[in-house]
Amino acid sequence: MSEKIRIKYFSDAIDRLEYIDNKSDWIDLRAAEEIEFKKGDWKLIPLGVAMQLPEGYEAHIVPRSSTFKNFGIIQTNHMGVIDGSYCGDNDQWYFPALAVRDTVIHVNDRICQFRIMQNQPRIDFEECKHLSDTDRGGFGSTGIS
């Protein structure tokens, strides 16, 4: 089963998005403008798209595994979340980047990727004095070190 996403492109200079079966659930996003960074610069890189996500979904945006190596930038919010209400004609997606070295991002460079996820269901918290009989030591997955 597939979901339909309405997409608006802000640039004809970037490749159109495509979902590649049996490769990954993540879809690459590209820079829509050439952006020059000096070490320490922070800039928003336009991704050249706006989308109307399916009802009940949000998009998660993260760097590609090669983004830091190839371009020397990091995503300043570490993971971007686009909720379903960000779907207007002018709601272009951006990648907030901090440069750790001088670099240039060229039009159509693949700098990040996204996937859609269902929204979290409603959660009611129930306070208690004890959770269970299982106790792993209180430090991550390895217990007490």
Side-chain angles (χ1 to χ4, degrees):
M1 183 175 143
S2 66
E3 294 284 348
K4 292 241 186 262
I5 296 179
R6 297 184 68 207
I7 185 167
K8 175 183 175 180
Y9 289 94
F10 291 84
S11 171
D12 289 329
I14 59 172
D15 291 351
R16 297 313 192 227
L17 300 187
E18 63 178 316
Y19 182 83
I20 302 171
D21 281 326
N22 301 319
K23 182 179 180 251
S24 171
D25 289 343
W26 294 86
I27 299 167
D28 289 340
L29 293 166
R30 298 167 181 273
E33 293 178 16
E34 183 164 307
I35 307 275
E36 185 173 337
F37 286 89
K38 296 294 182 196
K39 182 179 179 179
D41 284 350
W42 175 87
K43 296 182 182 183
L44 289 172
I45 302 171
L47 300 173
V49 296
M51 297 184 209
Q52 187 174 29
L53 300 174
E55 183 71 31
Y57 283 84
E58 63 190 23
H60 295 180
I61 300 174
V62 297
R64 296 180 76 242
S65 60
S66 61
T67 298
F68 183 77
K69 174 182 69 81
N70 291 342
F71 303 107
I73 59 173
I74 58 173
Q75 184 174 359
T76 58
N77 58 352
H78 303 289
M79 182 184 92
V81 177
I82 308 284
D83 67 42
S85 69
Y86 193 70
C87 62
D89 272 343
N90 295 309
D91 291 337
Q92 180 172 196
W93 292 11
Y94 289 85
F95 183 83
L98 176 69
V100 298
R101 66 174 192 253
D102 292 357
T103 191
V104 176
I105 309 297
H106 299 284
V107 172
N108 214 40
D109 280 345
R110 296 180 301 159
I111 57 167
C112 57
Q113 56 193 336
F114 85 100
R115 70 178 303 166
I116 62 170
M117 303 288 292
Q118 283 189 305
N119 292 347
Q120 180 169 282
R122 177 178 160 72
I123 295 176
D124 295 314
F125 293 97
E126 179 183 337
E127 189 171 339
C128 61
K129 296 227 183 256
H130 301 287
L131 294 174
S132 72
D133 291 332
T134 304
D135 191 343
R136 296 174 54 179
F139 186 78
S141 62
T142 59
I144 298 171
S145 48

